[in-house]
Amino acid sequence: MKASFVADVGGTNIRLAKVIEGQLSDIEKYLCNDFDTISDAIEHYCARHPEAEFVAGCIAIACPVDKDVIKMTNHHWQFSKSQLQQDLGLSWLDVINDYMAISMSLPQLSADQKLQIGGGTAVDNQPIAVFGPGTGLGVGHLVMTSEGWMSLDGEGGHVDFAPVDDMDLVVWQFLRNKYGHASAEEVLSGRGLVQIYQAIAEHQGRFADLTEPADITERALSNRCDLCVLTLQQFCRVMGSFAGNLALNLGTFGGVYIAGGIASRFIDFLMQSDFRSRFEAKGRFAPYVAAIPTYLITEPEHGLIGTAAYLTQHYKG
């Protein structure tokens, strides 16, 4: 049976699935660190499904994809697209940015695959934005063209961090002292959560003993550490401001979506946070962004859904 595969590759995990006639099946998730190369991971998956003859594939990956040699931003894997296609014996292989894949999934998500935060109503066929704090910070946009939806590639997670309130300034100064530059990814990511925690602790003259974002989140949600609560609150505020900037950039009246593996771990906290108020805090353009809805993606396999949509649209074999 001829089939295609899709892969969604982040800094921590690789998800793989089989695609037959546009339909996903046999989804599996592995730790990237368990394999020396991406080829090893894909060959392991293919070996587990000997009933399929894989003839094509599409990989969504968390790094720039404009050259033949792919070097991951937040992992050690690197590979040549042409060599990988040859090694895997494929007739067709494409590699797309992970946020191109995520953006391609958005028009296909049903109401039960996303959760709206605050007001606003999506307008059909209008631009859409998506961003996601995870190992790094990914950003994507989707626009309607005469040939259907088109994803706009880019590296929006590496734009400058723009402070809005006094605590943002504390975090900005901490990052500037540490790196000489403060990017959005250094705030809105796993390590960003830790750095917000460290910045607030330093500002208040307190000892910052936690080094894992999961520990900070857990203590904040259980209300066992006021410093962790302050950290998570500030993280949500910065997310709101960043999302509002994306809305302004392209007039995303189709909505702004949150993806990534972090925000889904504290949904109730996010819903009660200042995320939406900071999203709308755009001065005289507040009414403009207030009309734009914001969503949290709750579908865990949205990256694979979008990669399969891209493969189905572009592979004509």
Side-chain angles (χ1 to χ4, degrees):
M1 178 197 317
K2 290 188 177 181
S4 303
F5 76 84
V6 288
D8 179 20
V9 187
T12 304
N13 299 309
I14 175 171
R15 290 174 169 85
L16 292 126
K18 184 167 60 179
V19 179
I20 299 177
E21 297 181 353
Q23 299 301 307
L24 285 171
S25 63
D26 299 308
I27 296 172
E28 297 183 16
K29 181 175 78 170
Y30 311 136
L31 289 172
C32 295
N33 282 337
D34 286 346
F35 299 90
D36 290 335
T37 68
I38 191 172
S39 179
D40 291 341
I42 295 170
E43 288 175 345
H44 176 79
Y45 177 83
C46 293
R48 286 175 52 81
H49 299 279
E51 76 286 353
E53 178 189 353
F54 290 99
V55 296
C58 186
I59 300 168
I61 194 163
C63 62
V65 296
D66 56 324
K67 296 180 173 61
D68 179 65
V69 175
I70 304 296
K71 297 181 179 180
M72 292 188 67
T73 306
N74 292 303
H75 191 69
H76 69 266
W77 280 354
Q78 67 177 61
F79 61 94
S80 158
K81 289 185 280 189
S82 56
Q83 187 62 51
L84 182 63
Q85 178 178 345
Q86 181 178 328
D87 291 345
L88 296 174
L90 303 173
S91 61
W92 187 91
L93 176 69
D94 205 350
V95 180
I96 62 176
N97 182 265
D98 60 332
Y99 269 79
M100 177 179 287
I102 291 171
S103 63
M104 289 292 288
S105 78
L106 302 179
Q108 303 186 50
L109 297 180
S110 62
D112 61 358
Q113 293 173 307
K114 59 189 179 183
L115 178 66
Q116 185 165 352
I117 307 170
T121 302
V123 180
D124 290 344
N125 297 329
Q126 289 299 299
I128 300 170
V130 60
F131 73 104
T135 305
L137 174 62
V139 176
H141 284 92
L142 199 67
V143 295
M144 177 59 75
T145 72
S146 59
E147 298 180 356
W149 288 106
M150 176 182 291
S151 178
L152 305 179
D153 198 9
E155 288 295 326
H158 300 285
V159 300
D160 295 338
F161 168 46
V164 173
D165 65 13
D166 289 344
M167 193 55 72
D168 282 352
L169 286 171
V170 168
V171 176
W172 178 85
Q173 188 66 62
F174 176 88
L175 293 172
R176 186 168 179 268
N177 290 341
K178 185 175 181 179
Y179 299 114
H181 174 257
S183 73
E185 182 173 271
E186 296 302 335
V187 187
L188 295 179
S189 61
R191 68 180 179 277
L193 186 66
V194 175
Q195 290 176 151
I196 293 173
Y197 168 78
Q198 293 169 338
I200 296 175
E202 181 181 278
H203 177 67
Q204 296 183 348
R206 301 170 65 175
F207 179 62
D209 60 328
L210 302 178
T211 58
E212 295 297 325
D215 293 335
I216 296 171
T217 301
E218 189 277 325
R219 293 196 188 187
L221 297 181
S222 62
N223 205 28
R224 292 193 292 120
C225 171
D226 67 315
L227 180 57
C228 293
V229 172
L230 290 172
T231 297
L232 199 57
Q233 288 173 338
Q234 201 64 28
F235 188 86
C236 291
R237 293 185 186 111
V238 176
M239 277 205 301
S241 294
F242 188 79
N245 289 342
L246 293 181
L248 289 171
N249 283 342
L250 208 60
T252 57
F253 287 95
V256 178
Y257 287 75
I258 307 171
I262 293 181
S264 59
R265 298 171 186 168
F266 49 87
I267 295 175
D268 291 340
F269 190 99
L270 175 62
M271 296 291 286
Q272 299 299 319
S273 75
D274 293 332
F275 169 84
R276 183 68 193 190
S277 62
R278 283 277 291 257
F279 175 83
E280 297 181 10
K282 298 300 181 187
R284 59 195 178 95
F285 272 79
Y288 181 93
V289 293
I292 296 173
T294 48
Y295 303 96
L296 176 68
I297 299 172
T298 56
E299 168 55 56
E301 305 303 345
H302 53 275
L304 288 176
I305 290 171
T307 308
Y310 180 93
L311 181 144
T312 301
Q313 180 175 325
H314 290 85
Y315 174 55
K316 305 303 180 183

